[in-house]
Amino acid sequence: MSAILPPGERLWWKQPLDRVELTWIIIAFAWCMVMFFMMPYWHVVGKQNLSSETYRTTAEAYSIKAQAVAEKFKVREETDEKIPVVAPPAGSDVYLIARLWSWWPILELEKGKTYRLHLSSMDYQHGFSLQPENINIQVLPGYEHVVTITPNRAGTYAILCNEFCGIGHHKMVTKLYVK
Ligand SMILES: [Cu+2]
């Protein structure tokens, strides 16, 4: 039978299955199953997937919490905009606000210590992209994502917005200190 010409007998699905075709169906199906089970496997065993919690919030409620933590644990100010550098104690909740077109505040964390990082947006959708680690988290208005993180390398990281959010998108960059 040719694939170009229509089959002489139109009941082509009643043809016996060719061995080669059956072999490829089995191989493809087995590979589908491997990939299917790798999803939960990597979630539990792999190190690249983040386990996050998500809660409903509002811009007002979230910014009140973020400001309270920033005021309490501010260690200094940086940049012309006098953005506070906030160093909350290990194990505590740390907050990051995304808005057009900035991140607030600047976080300073300790290596090897675990924190609960809260993320939310004041306006539109933004993306938390941690460089050079390639960690990406959606930052949405009305939702509070809580990601449990343990920085394992000291240094100065960059946080970029990776969801196009308008004319100042490229300026939506900040730092994250790990010492
Ligand atoms: Cu943005």
Side-chain angles (χ1 to χ4, degrees):
M1 200 200 306
S2 153
I4 297 166
L5 300 170
E9 294 234 1
R10 296 194 66 82
L11 300 172
W12 51 269
W13 58 85
K14 286 189 178 165
Q15 298 286 328
L17 202 55
D18 190 82
R19 244 180 106 190
V20 177
E21 192 176 6
L22 181 66
T23 308
W24 280 109
I25 288 170
I26 291 168
I27 291 169
F29 182 75
W31 186 240
C32 283
M33 287 295 106
V34 168
M35 291 197 290
F36 178 78
F37 287 108
M38 283 309 270
M39 289 191 284
Y41 176 77
W42 279 125
H43 185 78
V44 175
V45 180
K47 282 188 171 174
Q48 76 273 48
N49 285 342
L50 301 165
S51 287
S52 65
E53 303 151 45
T54 310
Y55 305 95
R56 286 307 297 252
T57 189
T58 60
E60 294 74 38
Y62 184 81
S63 63
I64 287 167
K65 286 196 285 181
Q67 267 159 23
V69 171
E71 265 162 41
K72 206 167 167 191
F73 302 111
K74 183 172 119 174
V75 287
R76 62 181 183 276
E77 284 175 344
E78 279 190 15
T79 78
D80 294 342
E81 285 101 41
K82 297 210 181 335
I83 297 172
V85 177
V86 179
S92 68
D93 291 84
V94 298
Y95 289 82
L96 199 55
I97 291 176
R99 61 155 62 93
L100 298 175
W101 288 283
S102 63
W103 299 97
W104 190 94
I106 297 170
L107 297 172
E108 190 172 83
L109 308 177
E110 266 183 79
K111 181 185 149 185
K113 301 284 163 63
T114 300
Y115 300 85
R116 281 165 57 78
L117 172 65
H118 296 242
L119 294 162
S120 189
S121 165
M122 297 294 103
D123 36 48
Y124 301 101
Q125 181 176 12
H126 298 286
F128 173 97
S129 173
L130 186 71
Q131 300 295 333
E133 293 296 318
N134 194 23
I135 289 171
N136 294 286
I137 305 162
Q138 296 285 316
V139 185
L140 300 160
Y143 290 92
E144 183 170 343
H145 290 298
V146 188
V147 191
T148 304
I149 55 162
T150 309
N152 56 4
R153 246 177 293 169
T156 303
Y157 295 82
I159 296 168
L160 329 172
C161 179
N162 64 358
E163 289 291 342
F164 181 71
C165 58
I167 194 123
H169 169 67
H170 64 286
K171 293 197 304 178
M172 200 168 159
V173 182
T174 191
K175 284 177 187 170
L176 168 75
Y177 295 112
V178 177
K179 39 167 217 184

